[in-house]
Amino acid sequence: MSDAKFITLEGMEGAGKTTCLEFIRTYFSQRETPLLITREPGGTPFAEEIRSILLSPRDEPVSDGVELLLMFAARAQHLEQKILPALQAGQWVLSDRFTDATYAYQGGGRGIDLAEIEHLERLVQKGLQPDLTLYLDVPIDVGLARARGRGELDRFEQQEVDFFERTRDVYLQRAKEHASRFVVIDANQPLADVYEAISLALDAFVTA
């Protein structure tokens, strides 16, 4: 486990990403492998300011195009200031969401042309892709019930059910199209089983 790898964790609202992040942290800690855990949008002070703008409910409608550009603005800062330096220093990186989320939420949910997202992806990432993506899949009704049980909803969590259905459809489609790096985890099973599935996926990845 000497060569640095870039792992992303994806999932819909209520999929349990926060809990699973801690499990993955422990997994790597037990193997004495340095792991930087970060998130999108966000990850640096400036990118976190953009995150706040994106997630805060507001009366003024936010253009879908503006939302997309802000996502990639935050990502550009995140990559330059945090992700790339860590990888270059030999540190493994785990990001709570990355560009697959943009395809799913802005492409699927908002209906933005995927070609526009691809263009920005090439511009900002310059070919960088995750080495492994763990996607926590959960039925929309189950995930939203969990999210609403946590308290006040952010701007995305307040969307209609059909928005999340379109988002999930794109996630699952990307999992098929990028099967070499995607592992789909059933997040609607008992937590112990979710952990076991993640552990098996990581075991196979780190020993490949």
Side-chain angles (χ1 to χ4, degrees):
M1 298 174 67
S2 58
D3 294 333
K5 299 295 184 183
F6 181 30
I7 301 172
T8 56
L9 183 65
E10 299 281 355
M12 302 290 296
E13 281 67 18
K17 288 190 292 87
T18 301
T19 303
C20 291
L21 280 171
E22 290 307 311
F23 174 80
I24 297 171
R25 185 197 303 273
T26 301
Y27 177 97
F28 281 94
S29 176
Q30 291 173 344
R31 287 155 182 78
E32 299 182 347
T33 299
L35 179 68
L36 171 66
I37 296 181
T38 187
R39 69 177 182 177
E40 288 213 346
T44 75
F46 182 61
E48 287 290 332
E49 290 186 40
I50 299 176
R51 177 188 179 90
S52 178
I53 292 171
L54 283 164
L55 269 59
S56 297
R58 61 189 68 249
D59 294 330
E60 179 184 1
V62 178
S63 162
D64 294 344
V66 168
E67 181 179 283
L68 176 65
L69 291 171
L70 285 172
M71 285 289 183
F72 271 102
R75 181 163 299 132
Q77 184 75 359
H78 191 203
L79 282 167
E80 181 178 332
Q81 298 296 321
K82 195 165 191 178
I83 293 176
L84 291 176
L87 292 172
Q88 290 163 0
Q91 187 173 20
W92 287 50
V93 177
L94 171 63
S95 181
D96 177 353
R97 293 205 170 119
F98 195 59
T99 308
D100 291 305
T102 305
Y103 280 97
Y105 282 82
Q106 281 69 52
R110 302 296 190 205
I112 292 176
D113 188 339
L114 298 185
E116 295 183 18
I117 301 176
E118 291 171 0
H119 174 72
L120 290 169
E121 179 183 24
R122 289 193 297 271
L123 178 67
V124 170
Q125 295 171 219
K126 298 177 174 58
L128 177 71
Q129 291 293 327
D131 298 294
L132 172 68
T133 297
L134 301 172
Y135 170 59
L136 303 175
D137 187 49
V138 66
I140 300 301
D141 57 340
V142 173
L144 289 179
R146 292 176 181 175
R148 288 164 180 160
R150 294 196 299 253
E152 187 174 351
L153 302 178
D154 65 33
R155 193 171 65 86
F156 285 94
E157 292 169 340
Q158 293 177 359
Q159 299 300 305
E160 300 296 328
V161 172
D162 59 351
F163 170 90
F164 295 107
E165 290 174 345
R166 294 191 301 271
T167 299
R168 185 187 183 209
D169 286 345
V170 172
Y171 262 134
L172 292 173
Q173 183 60 38
R174 287 189 65 77
K176 292 178 182 178
E177 293 172 351
H178 303 275
S180 61
R181 67 171 171 90
F182 257 89
V183 176
V184 178
I185 306 291
D186 178 4
N188 196 33
Q189 58 185 330
L191 189 57
D193 294 331
V194 174
Y195 287 166
E196 181 179 7
I198 291 174
S199 183
L200 290 172
L202 291 175
D203 287 345
F205 177 68
V206 301
T207 58

